[in-house]
Amino acid sequence: KDLIRDVWALLDKLTDGIRYELQTPADWTENMADSTLGIGYIDTPGVIEEDVLRNAKVNDPKCRLFCNLEGRPRPIRTNALEFLTSAMDVSLRIGFLIQTASGPVRRIPEFSDFMIRNMLRFRSIFKDHGCTFHICNYMKTTNSTGRDSYSAVRLPSQVVELIDYYLFVIRPLEAN
């Protein structure tokens, strides 16, 4: 609970104390068999206004993250690096929460495999009937048998709130 509280405090710092409300469907379900490259539940429209945090930062005269250069907002390098460092800290702590909520201790390749969009391998975070699952891929079994071996773990709602808030509010600005 202390770690969850610490992560929320870091998120509040990144959003200047503003808590943005997510409009997540109660029965959110996605096609877990869809292997289309690049898709993920974070692409669901209507959950939150697109680039809400970036727009707020650009339009806030007290914000020191962007400057107006030739009529376009440009990041101020040192402040942007500070924001990115704090966002990375949030990401690492959320990864640790996912890891500890997923049951037995994983090996390093399994621990580092949190994917939010389909790439060469399936992503590892899914929504189904309003629940969020972390799909663990066991690398040792996969490497020794030549077949993928998976385990689905339902994540606690407190961790899911952090994941969703990070992915929908912080991550779009961090990625830009």
Side-chain angles (χ1 to χ4, degrees):
K1 288 185 177 185
D2 290 339
L3 182 55
I4 290 173
R5 192 173 35 251
D6 291 347
V7 173
W8 274 118
L10 287 170
L11 288 169
D12 286 341
K13 181 181 170 192
L14 288 171
T15 61
D16 300 321
I18 300 170
R19 281 275 170 101
Y20 297 96
E21 189 173 335
L22 303 180
Q23 304 297 322
T24 55
D27 60 344
W28 203 340
T29 301
E30 43 177 344
N31 180 1
M32 295 172 83
D34 187 349
S35 61
T36 306
L37 288 178
I39 69 158
Y41 77 89
I42 61 170
D43 300 314
T44 304
V47 173
I48 193 168
E49 176 189 331
E50 189 173 335
D51 289 331
V52 67
L53 183 58
R54 184 180 193 282
N55 294 339
K57 296 273 190 190
V58 167
N59 295 321
D60 182 358
K62 294 179 280 185
C63 176
R64 304 256 344 190
L65 193 56
F66 293 96
C67 66
N68 193 347
L69 187 64
E70 298 174 1
R72 296 185 65 199
R74 301 282 185 201
I76 299 171
R77 180 170 287 169
T78 55
N79 298 349
L81 287 174
E82 183 180 325
F83 178 89
L84 291 173
T85 301
S86 294
M88 182 183 65
D89 190 23
V90 168
S91 176
L92 289 171
R93 290 170 192 239
I94 290 174
F96 182 76
L97 283 167
I98 292 171
Q99 171 66 23
T100 55
S102 296
V105 177
R106 309 268 181 246
R107 297 168 65 236
I108 291 297
E110 295 157 355
F111 179 71
S112 62
D113 195 27
F114 299 117
M115 296 178 59
I116 58 174
R117 284 199 166 91
N118 289 336
M119 297 302 184
L120 294 177
R121 289 189 163 284
F122 283 114
R123 61 197 153 105
S124 58
I125 303 288
F126 287 91
K127 298 280 188 183
D128 189 44
H129 294 89
C131 300
T132 302
F133 292 89
H134 176 232
I135 310 299
C136 306
N137 181 358
Y138 291 100
M139 302 301 249
K140 188 173 183 179
T141 307
T142 298
N143 291 339
S144 62
T145 64
R147 294 186 334 204
D148 287 340
S149 176
Y150 298 99
S151 169
V153 177
R154 182 178 173 189
L155 296 171
S157 61
Q158 300 93 333
V159 175
V160 171
E161 286 178 39
L162 289 169
I163 293 169
D164 287 349
Y165 197 82
Y166 169 76
L167 290 177
F168 282 103
V169 177
I170 305 297
R171 185 71 186 135
L173 180 55
E174 182 184 18
N176 288 328

